[in-house]
Structure formats: structure tokens, C-alpha cells
């Protein structure tokens, strides 16, 4: 199994969620995040004063999947989240050794 993590622009969440549901993903975890990459934040103007915003708002999406589906799901996320502008985000996968469904005690693929 693999844990796929995507950090994307907040307004792309609905598109990514729909794309994952269409692919057959049954569950995900979504949380608010903030950070920066190459763009190092941006400047904004408030009441005539310009100031630097160091941390850009993002959404973090986590999906636990079978290893053989990981590359396809990463592709689905990338296509849904892409705007072709700086700050589109990142997607990565890491191996998962153990998964347990708390309610039933099921383990491995049955716990998905």
C-alpha cells in the first residue's frame, strides 16, 4: 500500500475530489495547510500598505491506496490540480507497512 499526499491550491479541491471519486477512491483526508515553494510567498496590499505574505494557503489531501494504483492516482490528482501557474503544488507517495481499521480491526487491503 501507499500513502499519496498532495498539496494543492484550495480552489482546486473540488476538482481533485471529483476526479478521485470518479477513479474509485473511497476515502481521503483533507486538511488546511500553508507553505511556500519556489515562489517564496507573494506581496499583497492592505489599506494602501504593501506587505509580504510568506506562507501561501494550500490544501493537503491524503489518500491511502493499493500500490499498483498509486501511479494512476497521482496522475489523476496532477491533471485535476494543474493550473499551469506557479504554486500549483506537489504530489508524492510513500510506502505504508501497516493499516488497521479501528472499528473492526481489519488489516491490510481490507482496512481500506
Amino acid at each position: 500500500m501507499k500513502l499519496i499526499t498532495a498539496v494543492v491550491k484550495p480552489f482546486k479541491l473540488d476538482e481533485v475530489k471529483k476526479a478521485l471519486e470518479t477513479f474509485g477512491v473511497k476515502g481521503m483526508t483533507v486538511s488546511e495547510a500553508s507553505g511556500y515553494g519556489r515562489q517564496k510567498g507573494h506581496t499583497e496590499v492592505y489599506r494602501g500598505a504593501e506587505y509580504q505574505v510568506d506562507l501561501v494557503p494550500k490544501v493537503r489531501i491524503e489518500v491511502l491506496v493499493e500500490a499498483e494504483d498509486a501511479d494512476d492516482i497521482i496522475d489523476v490528482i496532477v491533471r485535476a490540480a494543474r493550473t499551469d501557474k506557479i504554486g500549483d503544488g506537489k504530489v508524492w507517495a510513500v510506502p505504508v507497512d501497516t493499516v488497521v481499521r479501528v472499528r473492526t480491526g481489519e488489516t491490510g487491503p481490507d482496512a481500506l
Side-chain angles (χ1 to χ4, degrees), residues 60-88:
R60 180 179 176 122
I61 303 164
E62 295 175 308
V63 182
L64 195 58
V65 300
E66 293 285 347
E68 59 268 10
D69 294 332
D71 289 337
D72 292 334
I73 291 174
I74 289 172
D75 187 52
V76 164
I77 293 170
V78 169
R79 280 188 277 121
R82 178 176 286 144
T83 67
D84 290 324
K85 295 191 170 101
I86 194 164
D88 273 354

Side-chain angles (χ1 to χ4, degrees), residues 27-49:
M28 66 185 72
T29 300
V30 177
S31 52
E32 292 182 16
S34 59
Y36 67 88
R38 291 183 185 168
Q39 83 271 20
K40 302 279 194 262
H42 63 278
T43 58
E44 289 187 4
V45 178
Y46 179 72
R47 294 188 177 181

Side-chain angles (χ1 to χ4, degrees), residues 41-57:
H42 63 278
T43 58
E44 289 187 4
V45 178
Y46 179 72
R47 294 188 177 181
E50 189 173 294
Y51 64 98
Q52 181 71 24
V53 177
D54 294 330
L55 299 175
V56 180

